[in-house]
Amino acid sequence: MSYVPTPEQALELVKRYNSEPFHVQHAETVGKVLGEIAKTRDPENVDYWRAVGILHDIDFEQWPGQHCVKAQELLRGLDVDESVIHAVASHGYGLVCDVEPEREMEKFLFAVDEFTGLIWAAAKMRPTGFEGMEVKSVMKKFKDKGFAAGCSRDVIRTGAERLGLTVQELAQITLDAMRA
């Protein structure tokens, strides 16, 4: 009988396969961001969105060359529900796997995974962190290809498109969720 992990169970699973504090923190950040977005988009499923966000990179630290492919194998072996497995794998669509994001939550995961990294990096450079940060400054960093170069602008743009949003609208949603 498969199950949908709670956010707490998802974090335990992530910690089982990831020891780097950065990877655990990123998992928690993406989980919290998806949870905040779910509060307005799918309020009955906030914990589901959070758990998927937490689990999204479960395999990345140990198997970066098999990212999203190994995650499916791990989660199936742990008897996690197929809807969670599909969502987790879909954030690597077109990059490392062919599982396409279909549901709104999957599209948000695809888009905000990269955006949280860029916004986090921008906040670290500010004495006040997220406080007072505006979309205008996020977009300035977004346009600077040398800033947080590991965060794919193409993925962020594609993710926004899939959601029917502008990059600025997605930036606002992500920034608001990260502030919360």
Side-chain angles (χ1 to χ4, degrees), residues 87-154:
V88 166
S90 75
H91 90 278
Y93 179 67
L95 304 167
V96 293
C97 75
D98 61 356
V99 177
E100 191 167 355
E102 296 164 357
R103 294 174 291 153
E104 185 178 41
M105 179 266 299
E106 294 169 345
K107 294 173 185 178
F108 268 108
L109 173 59
F110 180 87
V112 304
D113 179 27
E114 295 292 312
F115 229 157
T116 58
L118 187 140
I119 293 171
W120 192 267
K124 285 180 107 169
M125 295 184 69
R126 298 168 43 88
T128 57
F130 294 110
E131 191 179 317
M133 185 186 286
E134 294 180 15
V135 169
K136 187 172 85 177
S137 59
V138 171
M139 292 311 297
K140 190 174 176 186
K141 296 295 186 192
F142 179 84
K143 288 173 184 154
D144 177 358
K145 289 174 178 56
F147 180 79
C151 299
S152 170
R153 274 55 168 184
D154 289 339

Side-chain angles (χ1 to χ4, degrees), residues 14-178:
V14 165
K15 288 178 177 177
R16 186 184 304 173
Y17 298 100
N18 294 269
S19 58
E20 285 289 322
F22 171 80
H23 291 139
V24 174
Q25 181 186 32
H26 176 66
E28 289 180 298
T29 299
V30 173
K32 286 176 183 171
V33 166
L34 280 185
E36 285 302 313
I37 294 169
K39 287 178 183 177
T40 57
R41 304 272 177 164
D42 189 10
E44 312 78 47
N45 292 302
V46 171
D47 281 351
Y48 179 84
W49 285 48
R50 278 191 62 213
V52 168
I54 292 167
L55 289 169
H56 83 282
D57 278 349
I58 189 168
D59 61 348
F60 188 77
E61 186 176 312
Q62 291 188 39
W63 301 279
Q66 295 178 300
H67 183 42
C68 292
V69 175
K70 188 67 175 179
Q72 294 173 73
E73 184 183 308
L74 284 175
L75 295 172
R76 279 193 186 101
L78 295 165
D79 212 20
V80 171
D81 189 81
E82 279 297 321
S83 70
V84 173
I85 295 169
H86 185 277
V88 166
S90 75
H91 90 278
Y93 179 67
L95 304 167
V96 293
C97 75
D98 61 356
V99 177
E100 191 167 355
E102 296 164 357
R103 294 174 291 153
E104 185 178 41
M105 179 266 299
E106 294 169 345
K107 294 173 185 178
F108 268 108
L109 173 59
F110 180 87
V112 304
D113 179 27
E114 295 292 312
F115 229 157
T116 58
L118 187 140
I119 293 171
W120 192 267
K124 285 180 107 169
M125 295 184 69
R126 298 168 43 88
T128 57
F130 294 110
E131 191 179 317
M133 185 186 286
E134 294 180 15
V135 169
K136 187 172 85 177
S137 59
V138 171
M139 292 311 297
K140 190 174 176 186
K141 296 295 186 192
F142 179 84
K143 288 173 184 154
D144 177 358
K145 289 174 178 56
F147 180 79
C151 299
S152 170
R153 274 55 168 184
D154 289 339
V155 167
I156 293 168
R157 276 189 212 92
T158 300
E161 267 175 41
R162 285 178 167 270
L163 287 160
L165 301 170
T166 65
V167 173
Q168 291 86 346
E169 289 168 330
L170 181 62
Q172 187 70 64
I173 290 168
T174 307
L175 181 59
D176 289 347
M178 288 181 80

